[in-house]
Amino acid sequence: MKSIIVFLILFNGFNFETAELIQKQVVSTYGVTCMVINGHDLPERFSVKKMNRIVADSIVSHMDKMNDGKSIYVGLLDDDICTRARGYQYWGIFGYSYKSGCVISSYRMKDSDSKLTLIRLMKVTIHEIGHSFGLGHCLTPSCIMNDAEKKISTVDKEEMSICPKCKRVLQIILE
C-alpha cells in the first residue's frame, strides 16, 4: 500500500480544534497519516473582491507548488470559495479537489447547530480527499462519494462512510 500523508492546512485563521476533529475522521476513514498545519493568510490576488469570494483553483494551485507528489494537501478555510462552473465565472462551492489536493470552505455549510456544521465539514472533507485519491462520484445515495449536486441537503443525507464498491476501488488505487 502506498504511504500517503494528508496535510490539513489552515488558511485565514481556520479553527485549529475543528481541524483536529476533522483530522480524526480522515484517519478513521482512510487509515492514513494526517497532520494539521497552521497555514497563513491567502494572497489578495486569490480574491474576487466584488463577490467576497476566494478562487478555489488558485488555492489548489498554490498548495500544489508545495507538494512533493507523495502527499495530499487539504486547505481548510471559513471564507466563501468559488470556481468556474455552469456558465458562471464565480460559482460558489463547498469544496474543490485536484489530484494532489483539495480545498474546503465552511462558509456554505454553516448552521445554527455547530455540531451539524462540523459533520458537514467532515463529510465534504472526506469526499474531496476521496477525489484527490482518484475516486469519482458514486451513484449510491448514502456513500460519501455521492455527488452533492450543489445542495447541502444531499450532504446531510450522506453517511460518514465510503460504500463497499468505492472501498474496493480505493484499495486498487492505493496498492
Side-chain angles (χ1 to χ4, degrees):
M1 184 167 169
K2 293 179 187 173
S3 177
I4 296 173
I5 299 173
V6 174
F7 291 97
L8 302 179
I9 304 172
L10 316 185
F11 289 118
N12 295 358
F14 189 88
N15 184 278
F16 192 84
E17 289 78 24
T18 300
E20 287 181 316
L21 295 170
I22 294 169
Q23 174 189 32
K24 288 178 185 174
Q25 189 62 49
V26 170
V27 171
S28 172
T29 302
Y30 291 112
V32 296
T33 300
C34 182
M35 301 173 76
V36 178
I37 300 172
N38 267 321
H40 52 275
D41 289 343
L42 292 166
E44 284 292 318
R45 69 181 184 277
F46 293 179
S47 297
V48 181
K49 294 209 187 302
K50 66 181 179 181
M51 302 288 289
N52 203 25
R53 292 181 177 161
I54 299 175
V55 180
D57 315 58
S58 297
I59 302 168
V60 171
S61 177
H62 175 68
M63 291 188 304
D64 199 39
K65 292 174 185 167
M66 301 184 283
N67 200 323
D68 60 5
K70 299 175 186 168
S71 306
I72 292 176
Y73 282 46
V74 180
L76 297 172
L77 65 161
D78 294 315
D79 305 272
D80 197 9
I81 59 174
C82 62
T83 192
R84 292 177 193 261
R86 298 186 176 203
Y88 293 93
Q89 188 172 5
Y90 304 114
W91 182 261
I93 54 177
F94 305 132
Y96 178 84
S97 67
Y98 188 71
K99 184 68 178 162
S100 61
C102 52
V103 60
I104 295 93
S105 164
S106 67
Y107 185 85
R108 295 174 181 275
M109 298 180 227
K110 290 188 177 159
D111 188 85
S112 58
D113 178 355
S114 60
K115 233 178 168 177
L116 179 58
T117 301
L118 176 62
I119 289 167
R120 289 172 172 172
L121 260 169
M122 288 177 172
K123 286 179 178 182
V124 173
T125 301
I126 297 304
H127 176 95
E128 297 300 337
I129 290 172
H131 285 316
S132 293
F133 275 128
L135 290 175
H137 284 137
C138 179
L139 297 176
T140 305
S142 61
C143 181
I144 200 90
M145 292 310 297
N146 184 272
D147 187 355
E149 297 179 359
K150 320 299 182 244
K151 297 179 198 160
I152 200 65
S153 59
T154 307
V155 173
D156 292 340
K157 291 175 190 169
E158 294 170 347
E159 294 177 13
M160 188 79 74
S161 61
I162 300 170
C163 74
K165 179 185 168 204
C166 288
K167 280 184 182 177
R168 286 191 298 277
V169 172
L170 186 62
Q171 282 181 318
I172 293 166
I173 291 169
L174 295 178
E175 285 180 349

